[in-house]
Amino acid sequence: MSASTSPRTRLRRGRLFRAIPTAWRTPLAMVGAIIALAWIVIALIAPWAAPHDPLAQQLPRLTAPGDASVLGTDQVGRDVFSRLLTGARVTMPLALLMVVSATVLGTLIGSIAGFVGGWVDETLMRLTDLIMAFPTVILAMIIAASLGPSLLNAVIAGIVVSWPQYARVVRSLVLSLRTQNFVIAGRLLGYSPWRSLRSDILPNVAGPVLVLASLDIGTAILLLTGLSFLGLGAQPPAAEWGSMISGAMSHIDAWWLGVFPGLAILTVVMAFNFIGDSLRDALDPLSSAEREGAAGGTEHEEPAAVENPTTEEGR
Amino acid sequence: MTATTTSQKPARLWQRWPLLGYILRRLGTSVLLMLGVTMVTFVLTALVPGDPVAAALGEGAASNPATVAAYVEEHGLDKSIPERYLIYLAALLQGDLGTSIKTGRPVATELATAVPATVEIALCAIVVSLAVGLALGTIAAHHRGRATDQVLRVVSLLGLSVPTFWLAIMAYHTFFLRLGVAPGAGRLDPTFTPPPTVTGLYTVDFILGGDPVGFFDALAHLALPVLVLSLFTIGLLTRFIRAAVLEVLDTDYIRAARAKGLPRRRVIGAYVLRGASLPILTVVGVAFGVLLSGTVLVEAVFAWPGLGTYAFNSAINLDLPGVMGVGLVVGVIYLVINFAVDLLYGVLDPRVRLA
């Protein structure tokens, strides 16, 4: 076992595609996937499923959950249930946009830094140091405040604070891959740096980056709703979970105003964390080897030397 | 022997004391990063969309050309960006963080009382998180793959998924308004007078002042915000400490210690946790950053007069000097913590000093 773990970077790509079905079979990932899927469906059908206009102030104010409205009404007579459903359309796509942008930007910068090296590497890495010198929410807060309060600016602030972690991981992977024999062989065959990066290096970076990204979706949702809670994201009267909780602070006796949007955030974030954590577990060479062993070796671990990404590329 | 020593150059100071050299190098990095932090806050302040003069003075005063000219002159807004940065830096060195638009008072004065309040809450939270995280992480690692491990995994992932600001409101509502078991908002009951300021941490100051009743009241007020704040970091620390302990459990020296028949408690205390101390230290540093972020979202709910409440009020009112002041102060606090973590690395692991 110890022989196959040292060149494990070469195995990553193969691992990723084998890991997804493995991760899926665990109950934790299954629960996460079901909840996440449910919320995605809610986000899609919200305009038709919501019993009332989420912005219309036409119901009696501050009525408790009951027959008239399932989850009660807020301080200006809007239907909490309708606002909750509509909120799914706001937070989830933006969180996804934030994570995808940060992943692409971070992977790009990290691979440039690792591949080019020299002063380019030095400059880019000092930039990540600088951003990581702040606690993330604090930096996102000051960026969002200076750009002006809006959801889009909150997303931009989120991207700025979260790309460095991807850049760091990708850079260190690229650095270790650069000296691997199959990459050197590619260069000797006359690959341009770009082709080497694209066909030999980036496929092997995909696994860890995907795990990081899947774990980051929950963080992104917490960040965006947190900024909205601070008044730096969604602006009233938008139906957004963080600002709904913020509004509930001044009506603390109307418990239904705060409880439900919070539960919505909790379940969504939890679902993505369950999925991300299971994926990480399945990709981790130690734990997946153990699971394969425990399952009676259903999935045979090939020796590292045999599974060579250069042959996988099929050229 | 003598020939070789005389032929060598006399050893430099940091060659004789590697730890000193390590400290100096780290200190240099921290100072550079601190400059970087000021650059970030400066750029964000300077690039404010809209008219900074009108924003700072308010509509009324901004219509008076003399006032505007005086403001531009005083803040050097007519100068080039590098010059303005130097002016900004000089002001910072004199403790001038700008003036709050909302209250009209210097931001530095307002933050001076807020910092100890937040430090107190963050220190308590890190102690609680580390104690619980160490216990749960070690237990999970020892029961790896079994039911206990699975339950702890779900619990820690739940901790990582709860929106802290929401949990704060729920806890305040349940334990104070409904059940009445927790004390109300703020750092002390209104019937108490704050202790004479020594450290600014009420609990410590009460002890120094010899007032046990005050100490317990301050402690009771700390409990709820600290527990709410700790939940996320407990989740974080449990996951990381589990992984770190697992890594160590798989080493030969642990097998040797067990084979030798050492009691389990001693193996964990003296060997496992010591071997895992570096990754644990790293994640404690990260957890501090998370806690400082968390205070911004939690303190306001409990009316805790710290950096978080100040940041919340500044953000809600779009008081940019206030927000930047918090960013700068928290950035510096976080740098100091990371510096301390780096130093501890050097102390715990001599190999790090040479890197």
Side-chain angles (χ1 to χ4, degrees), chain B residues 9-69:
Chain B
K9 282 188 220 162
R12 303 231 168 137
L13 199 60
W14 54 84
Q15 282 167 334
R16 267 188 283 161
W17 288 294
L19 192 59
L20 183 71
Y22 174 76
I23 292 173
L24 288 177
R25 274 201 306 277
R26 288 287 151 200
L27 199 61
T29 319
S30 299
V31 169
L32 281 180
L33 271 177
M34 212 169 281
L35 268 179
V37 166
T38 63
M39 231 176 270
V40 169
T41 50
F42 168 74
V43 167
L44 288 175
T45 317
L47 296 184
V48 185
D51 188 355
V53 184
L57 293 177
E59 291 300 324
S63 56
N64 182 351
T67 324
V68 172

Coordinates of all heavy atoms in Angstrom, one line a residue, chain B residues 9-69:
Chain B
K9 N 34.3 31.3 9.0 CA 33.9 32.6 9.4 C 33.3 32.5 10.8 O 32.7 31.5 11.2 CB 32.9 33.2 8.5 CG 33.5 33.7 7.2 CD 32.4 34.4 6.4 CE 32.5 34.1 4.9 NZ 31.3 34.5 4.2
P10 N 33.5 33.6 11.6 CA 32.8 33.5 12.9 C 31.3 33.4 12.7 O 30.7 34.1 11.8 CB 33.1 34.9 13.6 CG 33.6 35.7 12.5 CD 34.2 34.8 11.4
A11 N 30.6 32.5 13.5 CA 29.2 32.3 13.3 C 28.4 33.5 13.5 O 28.6 34.2 14.5 CB 28.7 31.1 14.2
R12 N 27.5 33.8 12.6 CA 26.6 35.0 12.9 C 25.6 34.7 14.0 O 25.4 33.5 14.4 CB 25.8 35.2 11.6 CG 26.7 35.4 10.4 CD 26.3 36.7 9.7 NE 27.4 37.0 8.7 CZ 27.1 37.5 7.5 NH1 25.9 37.6 7.1 NH2 28.1 37.8 6.7
L13 N 25.0 35.7 14.4 CA 24.1 35.7 15.6 C 23.0 34.6 15.4 O 22.8 33.8 16.2 CB 23.5 37.0 15.8 CG 22.9 37.3 17.2 CD1 24.0 37.1 18.3 CD2 22.3 38.7 17.3
W14 N 22.4 34.7 14.1 CA 21.3 33.8 13.9 C 21.7 32.4 13.6 O 20.9 31.4 13.5 CB 20.3 34.3 12.8 CG 21.0 34.6 11.5 CD1 21.3 33.8 10.5 CD2 21.4 35.9 11.1 NE1 21.9 34.4 9.5 CE2 22.0 35.7 9.8 CE3 21.4 37.2 11.7 CZ2 22.5 36.8 9.1 CZ3 22.0 38.2 11.0 CH2 22.5 38.0 9.7
Q15 N 23.0 32.2 13.3 CA 23.5 30.8 13.1 C 23.7 30.2 14.5 O 23.6 29.0 14.6 CB 24.8 30.8 12.3 CG 24.5 31.0 10.8 CD 25.7 31.4 10.0 OE1 26.7 31.9 10.6 NE2 25.7 31.0 8.7
R16 N 24.1 31.0 15.5 CA 24.3 30.4 16.8 C 23.0 30.2 17.5 O 22.8 29.2 18.2 CB 25.1 31.4 17.6 CG 26.6 31.0 17.5 CD 27.4 31.8 18.5 NE 27.6 33.2 18.0 CZ 28.0 34.2 18.8 NH1 28.1 34.0 20.1 NH2 28.2 35.4 18.3
W17 N 22.0 31.1 17.2 CA 20.6 30.9 17.8 C 19.6 30.8 16.7 O 19.0 31.8 16.3 CB 20.3 32.0 18.8 CG 21.0 32.0 20.0 CD1 20.9 31.0 21.0 CD2 22.0 32.9 20.5 NE1 21.8 31.3 22.0 CE2 22.5 32.5 21.7 CE3 22.5 34.1 19.9 CZ2 23.4 33.2 22.4 CZ3 23.5 34.8 20.6 CH2 23.9 34.3 21.9
P18 N 19.5 29.6 16.1 CA 18.5 29.5 14.9 C 17.2 30.0 15.2 O 16.5 30.6 14.4 CB 18.5 28.0 14.7 CG 19.5 27.3 15.5 CD 20.0 28.3 16.5
L19 N 16.7 29.9 16.5 CA 15.4 30.3 16.8 C 15.2 31.8 16.7 O 14.2 32.3 16.2 CB 15.0 29.9 18.2 CG 13.5 30.0 18.6 CD1 12.7 29.2 17.7 CD2 13.3 29.6 20.0
L20 N 16.3 32.5 17.0 CA 16.3 34.0 16.9 C 16.2 34.4 15.5 O 15.4 35.3 15.1 CB 17.6 34.6 17.6 CG 17.6 36.1 17.6 CD1 16.6 36.6 18.6 CD2 19.0 36.6 17.9
G21 N 17.0 33.7 14.6 CA 16.9 34.0 13.2 C 15.5 33.8 12.7 O 15.0 34.6 11.9
Y22 N 14.9 32.7 13.1 CA 13.6 32.3 12.7 C 12.6 33.4 13.1 O 11.8 33.9 12.3 CB 13.2 31.0 13.3 CG 11.8 30.5 13.0 CD1 11.5 30.0 11.8 CD2 10.9 30.6 14.0 CE1 10.2 29.6 11.5 CE2 9.6 30.2 13.8 CZ 9.2 29.7 12.5 OH 7.9 29.3 12.3
I23 N 12.7 33.8 14.3 CA 11.8 34.9 14.8 C 11.9 36.1 14.0 O 10.9 36.7 13.6 CB 12.0 35.2 16.3 CG1 11.7 33.9 17.2 CG2 11.3 36.4 16.8 CD1 12.0 34.0 18.6
L24 N 13.2 36.5 13.7 CA 13.4 37.8 13.0 C 12.8 37.7 11.6 O 12.2 38.6 11.1 CB 14.9 38.1 12.9 CG 15.5 38.6 14.3 CD1 17.0 38.8 14.1 CD2 14.8 39.9 14.7
R25 N 13.0 36.5 10.9 CA 12.5 36.4 9.6 C 11.0 36.5 9.6 O 10.4 37.1 8.8 CB 12.9 35.0 9.0 CG 14.3 35.0 8.3 CD 14.4 33.8 7.4 NE 14.1 32.5 8.0 CZ 15.0 31.8 8.7 NH1 16.2 32.3 8.9 NH2 14.7 30.7 9.3
R26 N 10.4 35.8 10.6 CA 8.9 35.8 10.7 C 8.4 37.2 11.0 O 7.4 37.7 10.4 CB 8.4 34.9 11.8 CG 8.6 33.4 11.4 CD 7.5 33.1 10.4 NE 8.0 32.0 9.6 CZ 7.6 31.7 8.4 NH1 6.6 32.4 7.8 NH2 8.1 30.7 7.7
L27 N 9.1 37.9 11.8 CA 8.8 39.3 12.1 C 8.8 40.2 10.9 O 7.9 41.0 10.7 CB 9.7 39.8 13.2 CG 9.2 41.0 14.0 CD1 8.0 40.7 14.8 CD2 10.3 41.5 15.0
G28 N 9.9 40.0 10.1 CA 10.0 40.7 8.9 C 8.8 40.5 8.0 O 8.1 41.4 7.5
T29 N 8.4 39.2 7.8 CA 7.3 38.9 7.0 C 6.0 39.5 7.5 O 5.2 40.1 6.7 CB 7.0 37.3 7.0 OG1 8.3 36.7 6.8 CG2 6.2 36.9 5.8
S30 N 5.8 39.5 8.8 CA 4.6 40.0 9.4 C 4.5 41.5 9.2 O 3.5 42.1 8.9 CB 4.6 39.7 10.9 OG 4.5 38.4 11.1
V31 N 5.7 42.2 9.3 CA 5.7 43.7 9.1 C 5.3 44.0 7.7 O 4.5 44.9 7.4 CB 7.0 44.3 9.5 CG1 7.1 45.7 9.0 CG2 7.3 44.2 11.0
L32 N 5.8 43.2 6.7 CA 5.5 43.4 5.3 C 4.0 43.2 5.1 O 3.3 44.0 4.4 CB 6.3 42.5 4.4 CG 7.7 42.9 4.2 CD1 8.5 41.9 3.3 CD2 7.8 44.3 3.5
L33 N 3.5 42.1 5.7 CA 2.1 41.8 5.5 C 1.2 42.9 6.1 O 0.2 43.3 5.6 CB 1.7 40.5 6.2 CG 1.9 39.3 5.2 CD1 1.6 38.0 6.0 CD2 0.9 39.4 4.0
M34 N 1.7 43.5 7.2 CA 0.9 44.5 7.9 C 0.8 45.8 7.0 O -0.2 46.4 6.8 CB 1.6 44.9 9.2 CG 0.6 45.4 10.3 SD 1.3 45.5 11.9 CE 1.4 43.8 12.4
L35 N 2.0 46.1 6.3 CA 2.0 47.1 5.3 C 0.9 46.8 4.2 O 0.2 47.7 3.7 CB 3.3 47.3 4.7 CG 4.3 48.3 5.3 CD1 5.6 48.3 4.6 CD2 3.6 49.7 5.3
G36 N 0.9 45.5 3.8 CA 0.0 45.1 2.8 C -1.4 45.3 3.2 O -2.3 45.7 2.4
V37 N -1.7 45.0 4.5 CA -3.1 45.1 5.0 C -3.5 46.6 4.9 O -4.6 46.9 4.5 CB -3.1 44.6 6.5 CG1 -4.4 45.1 7.2 CG2 -3.0 43.1 6.5
T38 N -2.6 47.5 5.3 CA -2.9 48.9 5.2 C -3.1 49.3 3.8 O -4.0 50.2 3.5 CB -1.8 49.8 5.8 OG1 -0.6 49.7 5.0 CG2 -1.5 49.5 7.2
M39 N -2.4 48.7 2.8 CA -2.5 49.0 1.4 C -3.9 48.6 1.0 O -4.6 49.4 0.2 CB -1.5 48.3 0.6 CG -0.7 49.3 -0.3 SD 0.6 48.4 -1.2 CE 1.9 48.6 -0.1
V40 N -4.4 47.4 1.4 CA -5.7 47.0 1.0 C -6.8 47.9 1.5 O -7.6 48.4 0.7 CB -6.0 45.5 1.6 CG1 -7.4 45.2 1.4 CG2 -5.1 44.5 0.9
T41 N -6.7 48.3 2.8 CA -7.8 49.2 3.3 C -7.7 50.6 2.6 O -8.7 51.2 2.4 CB -7.7 49.4 4.8 OG1 -6.3 49.7 5.2 CG2 -8.1 48.1 5.6
F42 N -6.4 51.0 2.3 CA -6.3 52.3 1.7 C -6.9 52.3 0.3 O -7.7 53.1 -0.1 CB -4.8 52.7 1.5 CG -4.6 53.9 0.6 CD1 -5.0 55.2 1.0 CD2 -4.1 53.7 -0.6 CE1 -4.8 56.2 0.2 CE2 -3.9 54.8 -1.5 CZ -4.3 56.1 -1.1
V43 N -6.6 51.2 -0.5 CA -7.1 51.1 -1.9 C -8.6 51.1 -1.8 O -9.3 51.8 -2.6 CB -6.5 49.9 -2.6 CG1 -7.3 49.6 -3.8 CG2 -5.1 50.1 -2.9
L44 N -9.2 50.3 -0.9 CA -10.6 50.2 -0.8 C -11.3 51.5 -0.4 O -12.3 51.9 -0.8 CB -11.0 49.1 0.2 CG -10.8 47.7 -0.3 CD1 -11.1 46.7 0.8 CD2 -11.7 47.4 -1.5
T45 N -10.6 52.3 0.5 CA -11.1 53.6 0.9 C -11.0 54.6 -0.3 O -11.9 55.3 -0.5 CB -10.3 54.1 2.1 OG1 -10.1 53.1 3.0 CG2 -11.1 55.2 2.8
A46 N -9.9 54.5 -1.0 CA -9.6 55.5 -2.0 C -10.5 55.3 -3.3 O -10.8 56.2 -4.0 CB -8.2 55.5 -2.5
L47 N -10.9 54.0 -3.5 CA -11.7 53.7 -4.7 C -13.2 53.7 -4.5 O -13.9 53.2 -5.3 CB -11.2 52.3 -5.2 CG -9.8 52.2 -5.6 CD1 -9.5 50.8 -6.2 CD2 -9.4 53.2 -6.7
V48 N -13.6 54.3 -3.4 CA -15.0 54.3 -3.1 C -15.7 55.0 -4.3 O -15.4 56.1 -4.7 CB -15.3 55.2 -1.8 CG1 -16.8 55.1 -1.5 CG2 -14.5 54.7 -0.7
P49 N -16.7 54.3 -4.8 CA -17.5 54.9 -5.9 C -18.2 56.1 -5.3 O -18.6 56.1 -4.2 CB -18.4 53.8 -6.4 CG -18.2 52.7 -5.5 CD -17.3 53.0 -4.5
G50 N -18.4 57.1 -6.1 CA -19.1 58.3 -5.6 C -18.2 59.3 -5.0 O -17.0 59.1 -5.1
D51 N -18.7 60.3 -4.4 CA -17.9 61.4 -4.0 C -17.6 61.2 -2.5 O -18.4 61.3 -1.6 CB -18.8 62.7 -4.1 CG -17.9 63.9 -3.8 OD1 -16.8 63.8 -3.4 OD2 -18.4 65.1 -4.0
P52 N -16.3 61.0 -2.2 CA -15.9 60.7 -0.8 C -16.1 61.9 0.1 O -16.4 61.8 1.3 CB -14.4 60.3 -0.9 CG -13.9 60.9 -2.2 CD -15.1 60.9 -3.1
V53 N -16.0 63.1 -0.5 CA -16.2 64.3 0.3 C -17.6 64.4 0.8 O -17.9 64.6 2.0 CB -15.8 65.6 -0.5 CG1 -15.9 66.8 0.4 CG2 -14.4 65.4 -1.1
A54 N -18.5 64.2 -0.2 CA -19.9 64.3 0.2 C -20.3 63.2 1.2 O -21.1 63.4 2.1 CB -20.8 64.2 -1.1
A55 N -19.7 62.0 1.0 CA -20.0 60.9 1.8 C -19.5 61.2 3.3 O -20.2 60.9 4.2 CB -19.3 59.6 1.3
A56 N -18.3 61.9 3.4 CA -17.8 62.1 4.7 C -18.4 63.3 5.4 O -18.6 63.3 6.6 CB -16.3 62.3 4.6
L57 N -18.8 64.3 4.6 CA -19.3 65.5 5.2 C -20.8 65.5 5.3 O -21.4 66.3 6.1 CB -18.9 66.7 4.4 CG -17.3 67.0 4.4 CD1 -17.0 68.2 3.5 CD2 -16.8 67.3 5.8
G58 N -21.5 64.7 4.5 CA -22.9 64.8 4.5 C -23.4 65.9 3.5 O -22.6 66.8 3.1
E59 N -24.6 65.8 3.0 CA -25.1 66.7 2.0 C -25.0 68.1 2.3 O -24.6 69.0 1.5 CB -26.6 66.3 1.6 CG -26.8 65.0 1.0 CD -26.0 64.8 -0.3 OE1 -26.0 65.8 -1.1 OE2 -25.5 63.7 -0.6
G60 N -25.4 68.5 3.5 CA -25.4 69.9 3.9 C -24.1 70.6 3.8 O -23.9 71.6 3.1
A61 N -23.1 70.0 4.4 CA -21.8 70.6 4.5 C -21.1 70.5 3.1 O -20.3 71.4 2.8 CB -20.9 69.9 5.5
A62 N -21.4 69.5 2.3 CA -20.8 69.3 1.0 C -21.2 70.5 0.0 O -20.5 70.7 -1.0 CB -21.1 68.0 0.4
S63 N -22.3 71.2 0.3 CA -22.7 72.2 -0.6 C -21.9 73.5 -0.3 O -22.0 74.5 -1.1 CB -24.2 72.5 -0.5 OG -24.5 72.7 0.9
N64 N -21.2 73.5 0.8 CA -20.4 74.7 1.2 C -19.0 74.6 0.6 O -18.2 73.7 1.1 CB -20.4 74.9 2.7 CG -19.6 76.1 3.1 OD1 -19.0 76.8 2.3 ND2 -19.7 76.4 4.4
P65 N -18.6 75.4 -0.4 CA -17.3 75.2 -1.1 C -16.1 75.3 -0.1 O -15.1 74.6 -0.2 CB -17.2 76.3 -2.1 CG -18.6 76.9 -2.2 CD -19.4 76.5 -1.0
A66 N -16.2 76.2 0.9 CA -15.1 76.4 1.8 C -14.9 75.2 2.7 O -13.7 74.7 2.8 CB -15.4 77.6 2.7
T67 N -16.0 74.5 3.1 CA -15.8 73.3 3.9 C -15.2 72.2 3.1 O -14.3 71.5 3.5 CB -17.2 72.8 4.4 OG1 -18.0 74.0 4.7 CG2 -17.1 71.9 5.6
V68 N -15.7 72.1 1.8 CA -15.2 71.1 0.9 C -13.7 71.3 0.7 O -12.8 70.3 0.8 CB -15.9 71.0 -0.4 CG1 -15.2 70.1 -1.4 CG2 -17.4 70.7 -0.2
A69 N -13.3 72.5 0.4 CA -11.9 72.8 0.2 C -11.0 72.5 1.4 O -9.9 71.9 1.3 CB -11.7 74.3 -0.2

